[in-house]
Amino acid sequence: MPKISYKQREGRRQQILEAALACFAEDGFHQTGMADIVKRSGLSHGAVYLYFQSKDDLIEALADDRHRRETVLNSVAQGSGDPIEGLHALVRVYAQWLTDPAGEARRRVGIHGWAEALRNRRVRTSVVEGIDMPRALIVALIERGQHAGLIKRDLSADAIARVLIAIFQGFVLQKCWGEDVDVEACMAAVAGVIEGFRATKSDMKRRTRA
Amino acid sequence: MPKISYKQREGRRQQILEAALACFAEDGFHQTGMADIVKRSGLSHGAVYLYFQSKDDLIEALADDRHRRETVLNSVAQGSGDPIEGLHALVRVYAQWLTDPAGEARRRVGIHGWAEALRNRRVRTSVVEGIDMPRALIVALIERGQHAGLIKRDLSADAIARVLIAIFQGFVLQKCWGEDVDVEACMAAVAGVIEGFRATKSDMKRRTRA
Amino acid sequence: MPKISYKQREGRRQQILEAALACFAEDGFHQTGMADIVKRSGLSHGAVYLYFQSKDDLIEALADDRHRRETVLNSVAQGSGDPIEGLHALVRVYAQWLTDPAGEARRRVGIHGWAEALRNRRVRTSVVEGIDMPRALIVALIERGQHAGLIKRDLSADAIARVLIAIFQGFVLQKCWGEDVDVEACMAAVAGVIEGFRATKSDMKRRTRA
Amino acid sequence: MPKISYKQREGRRQQILEAALACFAEDGFHQTGMADIVKRSGLSHGAVYLYFQSKDDLIEALADDRHRRETVLNSVAQGSGDPIEGLHALVRVYAQWLTDPAGEARRRVGIHGWAEALRNRRVRTSVVEGIDMPRALIVALIERGQHAGLIKRDLSADAIARVLIAIFQGFVLQKCWGEDVDVEACMAAVAGVIEGFRATKSDMKRRTRA
DNA sequence: TATGAATGAGACTTCATTCAT
DNA sequence: AATGAATGAAGTCTCATTCAT
């Protein structure tokens, strides 16, 4: 017979995760002390350990949380008709995510997670799965486009997907460092990049000849 | 009157920096202990502190080191004639840097530096300058190309530069996480992206009409 | 007006004491957590604290419990006729207690209690009284035997009693450490020891001469 | 090139072990904090961990220390001629050890070690070896005596050894609890016990008949 | 210059106990 | 009476840095 309801329990969990997120965003995983998280959460040391086994558990919970959110993010732009339009839609979704002021902390923690992924297997798995998801999505779109003759065939679908993902990873970095990034303009450039993948008449001719 | 020659002193410094680089690459800045660096350098605690004031100083020295190396890297592809060819040349240089097995540690430490840049002003400055350098280079090339009618004019030069830089940042991440990145194919895709920025006849017409 | 019957209350108390006994036997007093006892008892933290004021209270209750059981044990072999036979009877009773498999936990906790007695006055009192009881019994038997000329007079009754008690204390240790103790043989040796205390003809002569 | 000599280092080690011994004697292993040991040793927290890996390491070092001292203790009474006299010699050695005021702390820690042996394999091994040493010694003496017809043959040598060892274990307990033990008288009783093992004329007759 | 033993603040985590429900 | 979530002091241990040698 639990003393508090599932909802209450989940609320406390979120309270702690939010505190951890804020702390980690400010100072990174390893420069943040449990005391910081405890203080920020408004709970006690013991209470935090009632919900998470360890600091690492907290880090991994946030990694999982991020993973879950990205799953949702990707699902948004899944079943479009026109592949090229699908890519544009995906870019719009990620652009929105990139500029959402409420997501700043999450983006910063994301970067710390990228570094942590280099030495923590569990975090790496979560991070890699997090980019494999959109990659699979993009690859599917591109291959469909290539089949339909809408996208250049001389480029590897996987490579294109990696390029698009890399662009967003780089943007996250540049934005979080406080660079004066004109996201509008950048998105236009990305749109240009995508348009650049569109098969031209000469591509079709070349293909016919080949 | 220095007790040891400049050359000796510089040698010791490098010895320490190399040890630090190796340790940081493995475990990140904050999970690496000074003891690890001391052991790996083959020197003593005291000796390390004779050359560097603190662990942060060491981190910042490595950031500066990176900055210096990137300056050299950029200078390679500076004065080309054809702007588009210049971009391709730059990409080749960075692609080489990306795949150099000897640079793995540096790339990993670079990622840790990206995270550290979020909380250490000095590191951030170094990192940001490190991307501002190639950015200025790329912007110059592109603006030259746009003036000459070789590159589409409807895209911001800065945005294009940021996209290209972002691509490489993302590639560093994806490679260092152990992803199975086909760098050749990716570089072809990047080349395709650059070609996509090339002004077409319709662009010219559009421009004439405008 | 108690809310639950005395019987129920006593049942709960025993339930807790049994859980504590099992835990303490496994891990000692200070390495056992209240949480372990709570879990093993099947009750709640709060419930345990309704019956015992503190962990120390629990430890002391078990010490008292032991004390009470030993009182019973001693009373068994009290009023024999022949003093020597009385000693043998006492040894048999303790030998039985030593080999009873169901008493293993109690013996182990007993040892932890011996250590605890060094720093907890209340536990020490309980332990010391626990050995003073059989000691008094043995002293009485021996003095009776010495008066009757059945037991050597040149040995202090108290010393003999302490020796006999010490033997059993040592056996508890050796058995609980998992030593391969042949209890039968040891009891035979103890019987031999007791027989050794029997006055011989030469003792009687010596006494007459003195 | 060590900064301090072996002697200095060993001195520090002893300093810490002595502090630990005093603390453990007072409060047991698990109620003693590292802070207590640190304070008593006059060193710093870090210094203690420079010499011992952990609190458990400290406990085990003391167990080993005890083991080493007991080896010396046993070696004292090894090669006697007359087996019975050998037993008496051994008893005298242990009696001395038992009454040495400077050994009080060690005896108390010994008791805590007996309890700890129930749950710490390493400590148990050390403790058990510590009693196996004198046991082997006693068994050898007794078997020699039995062969020579000086000691009763109907008692197991091992059992007699265990009895003698148990006696001293029990004495340690009784003394450390502050009992008013008349060690002189007890030793006389133990001597009596040993004399009781001596083969009598009737034993010899019985043996001849058998 | 160079050493490495020493420092001590602070890291993470546990756990006996309480108290609102 | 009974629950179990919450508390927070205290536990063990680490580690960047210093300083006597």
Side-chain angles (χ1 to χ4, degrees):
Chain A
M1 186 196 322
K3 191 76 174 261
I4 59 174
S5 69
Y6 172 80
K7 207 169 161 182
Q8 275 179 303
R9 197 181 156 74
E10 204 52 28
R12 278 263 197 268
R13 233 187 100 92
Q14 285 310 318
Q15 194 177 347
I16 295 165
L17 280 176
E18 268 161 40
L21 186 83
C23 292
F24 289 155
E26 259 178 36
D27 254 353
F29 300 125
H30 305 298
Q31 294 306 101
T32 294
M34 285 304 280
D36 300 317
I37 296 169
V38 164
K39 191 175 290 178
R40 193 143 194 163
S41 73
L43 298 178
S44 67
H45 266 240
V48 170
Y49 279 90
L50 224 49
Y51 291 86
F52 297 93
Q53 292 192 339
S54 65
K55 190 177 163 182
D56 270 5
D57 192 25
L58 216 34
I59 292 172
E60 287 162 11
L62 281 172
D64 291 348
D65 198 49
R66 180 187 147 94
H67 189 276
R68 217 171 306 116
R69 285 163 184 274
E70 283 175 347
T71 308
V72 174
L73 204 64
N74 288 313
S75 71
V76 167
Q78 209 136 28
S80 321
D82 178 19
I84 296 267
E85 181 42 41
L87 290 178
H88 282 301
L90 204 60
V91 163
R92 276 195 300 273
V93 168
Y94 270 89
Q96 183 127 18
W97 176 80
L98 186 65
T99 49
D100 174 17
E104 177 72 6
R106 248 172 254 281
R107 288 189 295 271
R108 291 172 65 94
V109 172
I111 293 174
H112 286 296
W114 292 346
E116 185 65 10
L118 295 176
R119 50 175 300 280
N120 179 327
R121 183 186 297 268
R122 187 117 154 41
V123 170
R124 180 164 61 246
T125 303
S126 175
V127 165
V128 165
E129 282 182 6
I131 73 161
D132 276 349
M133 253 177 337
R135 188 157 60 86
L137 207 63
I138 296 171
V139 165
L141 284 171
I142 297 199
E143 289 183 339
R144 190 140 56 85
Q146 289 178 325
H147 259 280
L150 296 168
I151 291 178
K152 284 178 180 159
R153 277 188 161 116
D154 52 352
L155 296 178
S156 139
D158 186 73
I160 292 178
R162 285 198 184 281
V163 164
L164 289 175
I165 288 165
I167 288 172
F168 276 93
Q169 290 171 330
F171 281 170
V172 170
L173 287 170
Q174 296 179 30
K175 267 217 74 186
C176 284
W177 290 330
E179 294 266 270
D180 182 29
V181 180
D182 179 345
V183 178
E184 291 279 299
C186 287
M187 287 309 122
V190 175
V193 167
I194 290 172
E195 287 303 316
F197 293 137
R198 204 185 275 280
T200 58
K201 280 174 197 167
S202 62
D203 286 315
M204 324 257 310
K205 261 183 270 176
R206 208 181 310 148
R207 183 193 160 207
T208 313
R209 265 184 258 140
Chain B
M1 187 193 335
K3 299 267 174 71
I4 60 171
S5 72
Y6 172 80
K7 207 169 163 184
Q8 272 182 307
R9 195 174 162 79
E10 201 53 25
R12 279 256 202 275
R13 231 187 103 90
Q14 283 309 318
Q15 199 176 343
I16 295 165
L17 281 175
E18 268 162 40
L21 186 83
C23 292
F24 290 156
E26 262 178 34
D27 254 353
F29 300 127
H30 304 298
Q31 293 307 98
T32 294
M34 284 303 277
D36 299 318
I37 296 169
V38 164
K39 190 178 287 177
R40 194 144 193 163
S41 73
L43 299 178
S44 67
H45 281 251
V48 170
Y49 278 89
L50 280 175
Y51 292 87
F52 297 94
Q53 291 189 346
S54 68
K55 191 176 163 180
D56 271 5
D57 191 24
L58 214 37
I59 294 171
E60 287 159 14
L62 279 172
D64 292 347
D65 198 49
R66 180 187 145 98
H67 188 275
R68 217 169 306 115
R69 284 164 184 274
E70 281 174 346
T71 306
V72 175
L73 202 66
N74 287 314
S75 70
V76 167
Q78 208 136 25
S80 320
D82 178 17
I84 295 267
E85 182 44 38
L87 290 177
H88 282 301
L90 205 58
V91 163
R92 276 195 300 273
V93 167
Y94 270 90
Q96 183 128 16
W97 176 82
L98 185 65
T99 50
D100 174 19
E104 177 73 8
R106 245 171 256 282
R107 289 189 293 272
R108 290 172 67 94
V109 172
I111 293 174
H112 286 296
W114 292 347
E116 186 65 10
L118 294 176
R119 51 177 296 277
N120 180 325
R121 182 186 300 268
R122 190 120 152 39
V123 170
R124 179 164 61 246
T125 303
S126 174
V127 165
V128 165
E129 283 182 5
I131 72 162
D132 276 349
M133 250 178 337
R135 189 158 58 86
L137 207 63
I138 297 170
V139 165
L141 283 172
I142 297 195
E143 288 185 339
R144 191 139 57 82
Q146 288 179 325
H147 260 279
L150 297 167
I151 292 178
K152 284 178 179 158
R153 277 192 161 115
D154 52 352
L155 297 178
S156 141
D158 186 73
I160 291 177
R162 286 198 183 280
V163 164
L164 290 175
I165 289 164
I167 288 172
F168 276 92
Q169 290 171 329
F171 281 170
V172 170
L173 288 170
Q174 295 180 31
K175 267 218 73 183
C176 285
W177 290 331
E179 293 266 272
D180 183 28
V181 179
D182 180 343
V183 178
E184 292 277 299
C186 286
M187 287 310 122
V190 176
V193 166
I194 290 173
E195 286 304 315
F197 292 138
R198 202 187 277 279
T200 58
K201 281 174 196 164
S202 63
D203 285 317
M204 323 254 315
K205 263 184 268 177
R206 211 182 308 150
R207 186 194 157 204
T208 313
R209 265 186 256 137
Chain C
M1 186 194 328
K3 298 267 173 69
I4 60 171
S5 72
Y6 172 80
K7 209 169 161 183
Q8 271 182 308
R9 192 173 163 79
E10 201 53 25
R12 278 258 201 273
R13 230 187 103 91
Q14 283 309 317
Q15 199 176 343
I16 295 165
L17 281 176
E18 269 162 39
L21 186 84
C23 292
F24 291 156
E26 262 177 35
D27 253 355
F29 300 128
H30 305 297
Q31 294 305 99
T32 294
M34 286 302 278
D36 299 318
I37 296 169
V38 164
K39 189 177 288 179
R40 194 146 194 161
S41 73
L43 299 178
S44 66
H45 281 250
V48 170
Y49 278 90
L50 280 175
Y51 291 87
F52 298 93
Q53 291 190 346
S54 67
K55 190 174 163 181
D56 271 4
D57 192 25
L58 213 38
I59 293 171
E60 288 159 13
L62 279 172
D64 292 347
D65 197 50
R66 180 187 146 98
H67 188 275
R68 217 169 305 116
R69 284 163 186 275
E70 281 173 347
T71 308
V72 175
L73 202 67
N74 289 314
S75 70
V76 167
Q78 206 134 29
S80 322
D82 177 19
I84 295 268
E85 183 43 40
L87 290 178
H88 282 301
L90 205 59
V91 163
R92 275 194 301 275
V93 167
Y94 270 90
Q96 183 128 17
W97 175 81
L98 185 64
T99 51
D100 174 18
E104 177 73 7
R106 248 172 253 283
R107 288 190 294 274
R108 289 172 67 93
V109 172
I111 293 174
H112 286 295
W114 293 346
E116 186 64 10
L118 295 176
R119 51 177 298 277
N120 180 325
R121 183 185 300 267
R122 190 117 152 41
V123 170
R124 180 163 62 246
T125 303
S126 174
V127 166
V128 165
E129 282 182 6
I131 72 161
D132 277 349
M133 250 176 340
R135 188 157 60 86
L137 207 65
I138 296 170
V139 165
L141 283 172
I142 296 195
E143 287 184 340
R144 191 138 57 81
Q146 288 178 324
H147 261 280
L150 297 168
I151 291 178
K152 283 177 180 161
R153 276 194 162 113
D154 52 353
L155 297 178
S156 142
D158 185 73
I160 292 176
R162 285 198 183 281
V163 164
L164 290 175
I165 288 165
I167 288 171
F168 277 92
Q169 289 170 331
F171 281 171
V172 169
L173 287 171
Q174 295 180 32
K175 267 217 72 183
C176 285
W177 291 330
E179 294 266 273
D180 182 29
V181 179
D182 180 344
V183 178
E184 292 277 298
C186 286
M187 287 310 123
V190 175
V193 166
I194 290 173
E195 285 304 314
F197 293 137
R198 202 186 278 279
T200 58
K201 281 172 197 166
S202 64
D203 285 318
M204 323 257 312
K205 263 183 267 176
R206 210 182 307 146
R207 183 192 159 208
T208 315
R209 265 186 257 136
Chain D
M1 187 194 322
K3 190 78 172 264
I4 59 174
S5 69
Y6 172 80
K7 207 169 163 183
Q8 274 179 303
R9 195 179 158 76
E10 203 52 28
R12 279 263 198 268
R13 231 187 104 92
Q14 285 309 318
Q15 195 177 345
I16 295 165
L17 280 176
E18 268 160 40
L21 186 84
C23 292
F24 289 155
E26 259 177 36
D27 254 353
F29 300 126
H30 303 298
Q31 293 307 100
T32 294
M34 284 306 280
D36 300 318
I37 296 170
V38 164
K39 191 176 291 178
R40 193 143 194 164
S41 72
L43 298 179
S44 68
H45 241 135
V48 170
Y49 280 90
L50 223 49
Y51 291 87
F52 297 92
Q53 292 191 340
S54 66
K55 188 176 164 184
D56 270 6
D57 192 26
L58 216 36
I59 293 172
E60 286 162 11
L62 281 172
D64 291 347
D65 199 50
R66 181 189 146 95
H67 189 275
R68 217 170 307 116
R69 285 162 184 275
E70 281 174 349
T71 307
V72 174
L73 204 65
N74 288 314
S75 71
V76 167
Q78 207 135 27
S80 321
D82 178 19
I84 296 268
E85 181 43 37
L87 291 177
H88 281 301
L90 204 60
V91 164
R92 275 195 302 274
V93 167
Y94 270 89
Q96 184 128 18
W97 176 81
L98 186 64
T99 50
D100 173 18
E104 177 72 7
R106 247 171 255 282
R107 287 188 295 272
R108 291 171 66 94
V109 172
I111 293 174
H112 286 295
W114 293 347
E116 185 64 10
L118 294 176
R119 48 175 301 279
N120 179 327
R121 182 186 297 266
R122 186 116 154 44
V123 170
R124 180 164 62 245
T125 303
S126 174
V127 165
V128 165
E129 282 181 4
I131 74 161
D132 276 349
M133 252 177 339
R135 187 157 59 88
L137 207 65
I138 296 171
V139 165
L141 284 172
I142 298 198
E143 288 184 339
R144 192 138 58 83
Q146 289 178 324
H147 259 279
L150 298 167
I151 291 178
K152 284 176 179 159
R153 276 192 162 111
D154 53 352
L155 296 178
S156 141
D158 187 72
I160 292 177
R162 286 198 183 280
V163 164
L164 289 175
I165 288 166
I167 288 172
F168 276 93
Q169 290 171 330
F171 282 170
V172 169
L173 287 170
Q174 296 179 32
K175 267 217 72 184
C176 285
W177 290 329
E179 293 266 271
D180 182 28
V181 179
D182 180 343
V183 177
E184 292 279 298
C186 287
M187 287 310 120
V190 175
V193 166
I194 290 172
E195 286 304 315
F197 293 138
R198 203 186 277 279
T200 57
K201 282 175 196 164
S202 63
D203 285 316
M204 322 251 319
K205 261 184 270 177
R206 209 182 309 147
R207 183 193 157 205
T208 314
R209 264 184 257 138

